[in-house]
Amino acid sequence: MKKIDQIVIGALLHDIGKFMQRAGEKTKYLSNQEEIYRICPKNSKGFPTHWHSIYTYAFFEKYDFALPVAKERFENNEDNISNFAIFHHNPTTNIGWIIAEADRISSGMDRTEIDEQSESENVESDKQSFKKLRLKSIFTEIFLKSCKQDMLKNFDVESRNDFTYKITELNYKEELLPEEKSQFKDYTEDYSDIWEKFCKAFIEIKTDNIELYIQRLLYILEKYTWCIPSSTIDLPDISLYDHAKTTAAIAASLYQYHEYFNNFEESSIKNRQINKFLLISGDFSGIQKYIYNIFGTSFKGSSKILRSRSFFIELLSEISTHYLIDKLNLNLVNILYSLSGKFLLIVPNTEIIKSRIEDLNIEISKWFKDKFNGELSLNIIYEEFNGNDFDMKNFSKKFKQLLDKIELKKKTKFSEIILEEPSSKKFIIELDYEKYKNGECRFCGKEPALEISIDEEKNLGVFCKQLKDIGEKLPATFLLSYSKQKLDLREELTKPLSFYNDAYFVSFFDESILKNKSIRQFILRNSFNVYSLKDIETDEIYPSKQINTYIPHEGEKNLTFEEIAGKSCVDDNMIPFFYSDKFQNIDFSFLNEEKNNKENQKLGVKLLGVLRADVDNMGLIFSYGFEDNKLDKSMLTISRYFTISRMFNSFFGSYLKHLIQSHKQFQ
């Protein structure tokens, strides 16, 4: 474990004491005045505040054995994971100020202004409001000014009902939907239930693979702290997980910046006037066209390729972020998120990093041009930020500059390689026509077909054939492995997907992998990410990846596209209903045009319907949706941006999957 990893883990666990405190756990240090005054900061009257730091101390004393072993050590012995977390409100070393500053920047405010407020109440206080408030849904805070003029007369903005989340572990089901009018009561019992589960999981994540350790730690933090308010002061709409994740991303960047300049002076670390950060935004263009563009007519097997195309885009987005941090020599938590063809990284602002980004833009664009003939592209831009830019009064305006840049970049995609190439070869896509002796791929119409056959499924190109195989096997996949070398194993379901000229591989394993612990251990040793796609029971923790692998079925049989389309037809006895007075203005004569199934007397044309769900004007929401008229500023912070992005993804990528699987009308 390197120094940067210790910074990251300390930042991820810096507020773990809040969780422990709300769970009603007991600790002997509450009666130890010497330890209280050593650990806790003091208010203007000299009294200790931020009592959750005491609980963080108790947590590390109990679970220190479960932390990974540090291979690199700081010069000062006080600089270690536990002290980074325990003293984040009262740093005792210069390096400790990295976590303290990251915590405050992540919050979008200087917490020294609120040190004396109720969040730091003693456990013996009668108030303890931090145990009685649930996490408020961030969607109740979104309100666009443009709508306000039309709605103001009939809608009381100030009296909107709050919606809050249950205190429960995350399973991507009904708990994702907030409840209206939650009670102000003591939720210690609810906290205690998930605290016990968290502690058990924390002990089980230990591994020598530090990338997997951080991945698992992020997974259990999200699973058990997604619903816990990070702060109950002012507006409790940021979860402990979202605050921990953004704090770790900022802390990693801050440490990398000061390490680059070899300056860890306290005054330098606390200086928020310098542009120490880069926010790197990545946005894919051409996704919808790529997924749904089918050459010619569909055929048996088309559904498998469509399913895996969508899955491939998600993998491509995630792998691209890892490609960037590997090339930039950064940490896993520098990736703030990678969702739905978009990603955001927080990285140190150094000349080396900026130079590498420019080179990577060219390198990545060339790969996309060659791999997808320019149909897909990845647009990468960055914006410089200083510590003050993360403050609520500045973040919205500054972040809008980043959004404007990415929109402009999408209109000039591939410009970096077009400008680089000689004028005689401006973006020419050269095809080797010798490879097309069997014609073009039956599905995409772009790559050469492998063979000529009357069987349409065989008239595919190499990549479409691989996608078809993956689409067929994906519903039976239990584990996904991300590695930087090919895992050549018999137990693999199908040929692994390769990315960036074999720099990365994603391998698929079915249920048989659960019976072979030695193979699982081999996979873990040689992978930087391992996900489970189904609920599994093993000795290891596998973060869950929410992939929609549901297939409509009747009994044990999965339905084909043809069979699903057949359900658009109707029985003869339904015709009188359509011709009733209710539908007198609608022409249903088309129902008599074709009898698709004479045996069952079904009428109508077999057709498939496609439902696409998307959120429009996301840029508008982030730019103007969090404006607070009373404060005359936007309430948007980096944590709120991360929260709303994550919750949108959880709903569309996970909850809808549960909804479709659990309701009969979708089966």
Side-chain angles (χ1 to χ4, degrees):
M1 181 171 57
K2 298 179 181 178
K3 292 178 181 178
I4 182 64
D5 300 316
Q6 298 170 60
I7 293 285
V8 165
I9 296 171
L12 288 174
L13 295 172
H14 79 280
D15 271 344
I16 198 66
K18 289 184 178 180
F19 192 1
M20 186 177 182
Q21 181 183 21
R22 295 173 195 180
E25 291 292 299
K26 304 296 182 182
T27 170
K28 60 185 179 182
Y29 297 112
L30 289 175
S31 58
N32 189 326
Q33 291 297 309
E34 183 179 349
E35 291 291 1
I36 290 172
Y37 277 88
R38 182 178 72 90
I39 293 171
C40 294
K42 302 168 187 63
N43 62 19
S44 58
K45 298 179 181 179
F47 296 114
T49 62
H50 297 82
W51 289 75
H52 64 270
S53 300
I54 293 292
Y55 288 88
T56 301
Y57 181 40
F59 172 82
F60 278 99
E61 183 184 59
K62 185 174 183 179
Y63 295 106
D64 182 75
F65 71 92
L67 294 172
V69 177
K71 294 181 180 179
E72 294 182 2
R73 295 189 179 276
F74 294 92
E75 293 180 8
N76 190 333
N77 290 332
E78 292 185 28
D79 287 324
N80 53 61
I81 292 174
S82 57
N83 282 349
F84 291 150
I86 294 166
F87 293 99
H88 71 277
H89 283 300
N90 190 24
T92 58
T93 68
N94 288 350
I95 301 293
W97 272 105
I98 296 285
I99 311 297
E101 272 295 289
D103 175 41
R104 295 170 183 178
I105 291 172
S106 170
S107 300
M109 65 185 73
D110 188 343
R111 284 193 176 174
T112 58
E113 297 176 359
I114 56 173
D115 277 351
E116 299 179 31
Q117 298 192 39
S118 58
E119 184 72 10
S120 51
E121 293 172 66
N122 193 320
V123 289
E124 297 178 358
S125 167
D126 292 332
K127 298 177 182 178
Q128 294 187 30
S129 61
F130 53 85
K131 292 184 179 181
K132 299 177 182 180
L133 288 174
R134 299 201 310 199
L135 181 69
K136 183 178 181 179
S137 171
I138 198 166
F139 295 103
T140 64
E141 303 305 315
I142 301 172
F143 196 66
L144 295 171
K145 260 188 174 180
S146 58
C147 305
K148 199 173 297 184
Q149 303 302 321
D150 299 329
M151 300 174 63
L152 203 55
K153 293 180 181 178
N154 302 314
F155 186 79
D156 186 355
V157 179
E158 302 303 330
S159 63
R160 282 179 291 164
N161 291 325
D162 287 345
F163 285 78
T164 61
Y165 297 100
K166 290 182 178 179
I167 299 170
T168 182
E169 64 183 278
L170 181 60
N171 292 310
Y172 298 102
K173 296 180 181 178
E174 273 66 29
E175 74 273 6
L176 276 175
L177 305 180
E179 298 179 329
E180 190 174 7
K181 296 180 180 178
S182 62
Q183 292 181 314
F184 184 76
K185 68 173 188 178
D186 192 322
Y187 290 100
T188 301
E189 187 174 338
D190 299 306
Y191 281 120
S192 179
D193 179 55
I194 57 175
W195 170 254
E196 184 178 341
K197 295 177 181 178
F198 170 82
C199 292
K200 183 176 182 295
F202 183 76
I203 295 172
E204 294 174 350
I205 66 174
K206 191 171 185 180
T207 171
D208 293 333
N209 187 327
I210 192 62
E211 286 183 297
L212 286 182
Y213 182 92
I214 292 174
Q215 181 204 27
R216 291 175 178 181
L217 179 56
L218 285 167
Y219 167 66
I220 68 168
L221 280 171
E222 181 178 16
K223 185 172 184 177
Y224 297 109
T225 69
W226 75 279
C227 59
I228 300 175
S230 172
S231 173
T232 53
I233 303 169
D234 298 327
L235 192 58
D237 61 345
I238 304 298
S239 75
L240 209 60
Y241 169 71
D242 294 322
H243 175 60
K245 179 69 183 294
T246 53
T247 299
I250 294 170
S253 298
L254 202 56
Y255 177 78
Q256 292 156 342
Y257 176 87
H258 285 278
E259 183 182 40
Y260 176 79
F261 290 102
N262 193 26
N263 181 0
F264 288 103
E265 293 296 324
E266 179 184 330
S267 59
S268 178
I269 292 171
K270 294 165 69 174
N271 188 338
R272 300 186 190 176
Q273 305 294 326
I274 303 172
N275 290 334
K276 299 178 181 180
F277 308 96
L278 294 178
L279 263 63
I280 303 177
S281 177
D283 198 314
F284 286 81
S285 292
I287 290 178
Q288 299 301 327
K289 183 178 180 181
Y290 172 76
I291 293 176
Y292 296 110
N293 190 17
I294 304 175
F295 176 72
T297 57
S298 63
F299 60 93
K300 185 179 178 182
S302 297
S303 60
K304 299 180 181 69
I305 301 179
L306 285 172
R307 181 186 305 131
S308 56
R309 268 190 179 184
S310 179
F311 175 59
F312 173 77
I313 291 296
E314 182 169 342
L315 292 181
L316 181 58
S317 177
E318 192 172 358
I319 292 295
S320 295
T321 61
H322 283 280
Y323 188 62
L324 281 170
I325 64 170
D326 284 343
K327 291 291 185 179
L328 298 175
N329 196 27
L330 301 175
N331 191 275
L332 177 65
V333 297
N334 286 110
I335 304 170
L336 189 59
Y337 73 82
S338 175
L339 310 169
S340 306
K342 301 178 188 294
F343 60 76
L344 185 69
L345 281 63
I346 303 179
V347 308
N349 180 14
T350 67
E351 290 304 318
I352 288 181
I353 293 288
K354 287 191 285 190
S355 176
R356 286 178 179 173
I357 292 173
E358 299 302 327
D359 293 340
L360 285 170
N361 247 324
I362 296 172
E363 186 179 320
I364 289 171
S365 289
K366 284 182 177 179
W367 184 78
F368 271 81
K369 171 195 167 185
D370 296 339
K371 178 73 175 178
F372 305 104
N373 290 329
E375 188 176 6
L376 270 178
S377 64
L378 174 55
N379 309 290
I380 301 173
I381 57 92
Y382 62 80
E383 181 72 23
E384 294 185 357
F385 274 66
N386 62 43
N388 290 327
D389 289 331
F390 288 95
D391 193 281
M392 279 193 297
K393 63 179 179 288
N394 301 320
F395 183 75
S396 181
K397 292 179 182 178
K398 187 69 175 179
F399 193 73
K400 187 177 183 300
Q401 295 176 17
L402 183 75
L403 297 178
D404 290 342
K405 275 189 175 182
I406 197 67
E407 288 303 313
L408 179 62
K409 182 67 171 66
K410 287 163 70 174
K411 295 176 182 177
T412 58
K413 56 187 180 182
F414 294 112
S415 58
E416 52 278 306
I417 58 174
I418 292 175
L419 295 174
E420 183 198 44
E421 291 180 342
S423 57
S424 60
K425 298 182 65 176
K426 289 292 185 183
F427 205 77
I428 297 174
I429 298 176
E430 298 178 350
L431 298 178
D432 184 357
Y433 291 100
E434 290 291 325
K435 296 180 179 179
Y436 286 82
K437 59 184 178 182
N438 296 327
E440 69 275 356
C441 172
R442 175 69 180 80
F443 188 82
C444 71
K446 296 179 179 66
E447 60 175 337
L450 287 169
E451 59 180 290
I452 300 175
S453 173
I454 58 173
D455 184 353
E456 291 181 327
E457 290 192 66
K458 293 183 179 180
N459 293 22
L460 296 174
V462 174
F463 189 55
C464 284
K465 175 64 168 63
Q466 186 180 11
L467 289 179
K468 176 183 171 293
D469 293 341
I470 289 171
E472 181 178 355
K473 303 296 185 182
L474 192 57
T477 301
F478 271 68
L479 288 183
L480 279 182
S481 159
Y482 296 28
S483 61
K484 296 175 185 176
Q485 63 279 327
K486 186 176 179 180
L487 303 181
D488 193 10
L489 295 167
R490 288 187 302 104
E491 288 77 2
E492 214 165 348
L493 266 178
T494 188
K495 184 180 177 181
L497 278 172
S498 166
F499 298 85
Y500 291 106
N501 300 320
D502 292 343
Y504 299 91
F505 295 89
V506 175
S507 305
F508 305 76
F509 300 92
D510 64 13
E511 189 175 10
S512 63
I513 197 67
L514 304 182
K515 302 174 184 177
N516 197 327
K517 185 173 182 178
S518 62
I519 295 295
R520 293 201 310 274
Q521 292 297 324
F522 173 81
I523 295 170
L524 290 172
R525 285 194 304 271
N526 293 280
S527 304
F528 61 87
N529 269 358
V530 181
Y531 291 108
S532 67
L533 299 190
K534 301 180 186 293
D535 293 331
I536 60 177
E537 293 185 7
T538 67
D539 297 335
E540 309 92 7
I541 289 180
Y542 296 101
S544 173
K545 192 168 189 64
Q546 298 299 309
I547 299 294
N548 190 358
T549 58
Y550 173 73
I551 301 175
H553 59 275
E554 286 182 352
E556 298 291 324
K557 179 188 176 185
N558 292 333
L559 298 179
T560 64
F561 269 12
E562 181 77 12
E563 291 167 331
I564 297 171
K567 292 180 178 292
S568 68
C569 303
V570 297
D571 296 323
D572 274 342
N573 57 14
M574 289 293 293
I575 299 302
F577 169 76
F578 286 115
Y579 283 116
S580 67
D581 292 339
K582 290 182 178 179
F583 305 100
Q584 59 181 346
N585 295 324
I586 302 177
D587 181 14
F588 286 103
S589 59
F590 69 90
L591 290 172
N592 293 316
E593 291 179 2
E594 182 178 346
K595 286 191 176 183
N596 288 307
N597 191 332
K598 294 182 179 180
E599 293 182 4
N600 296 322
Q601 295 299 302
K602 297 270 187 177
L603 299 177
V605 181
K606 293 182 179 181
L607 296 172
L608 278 176
V610 176
L611 173 64
R612 287 175 56 188
D614 199 359
V615 180
D616 290 333
N617 300 316
M618 285 292 285
L620 186 66
I621 290 173
F622 290 129
S623 298
Y624 303 106
F626 289 89
E627 290 188 354
D628 189 309
N629 292 332
K630 288 183 177 180
L631 299 177
D632 193 29
K633 64 181 178 182
S634 173
M635 297 292 289
L636 185 66
T637 61
I638 188 68
S639 296
R640 288 193 175 94
Y641 176 79
F642 176 56
T643 297
I644 196 170
S645 300
R646 183 179 60 82
M647 292 303 292
F648 267 131
N649 186 70
S650 295
F651 178 80
F652 287 109
S654 304
Y655 177 73
L656 287 185
K657 169 187 171 184
H658 159 70
L659 188 67
I660 291 171
Q661 285 182 290
S662 58
H663 286 70
K664 290 183 179 180
Q665 62 265 38
F666 298 119
Q667 297 177 356

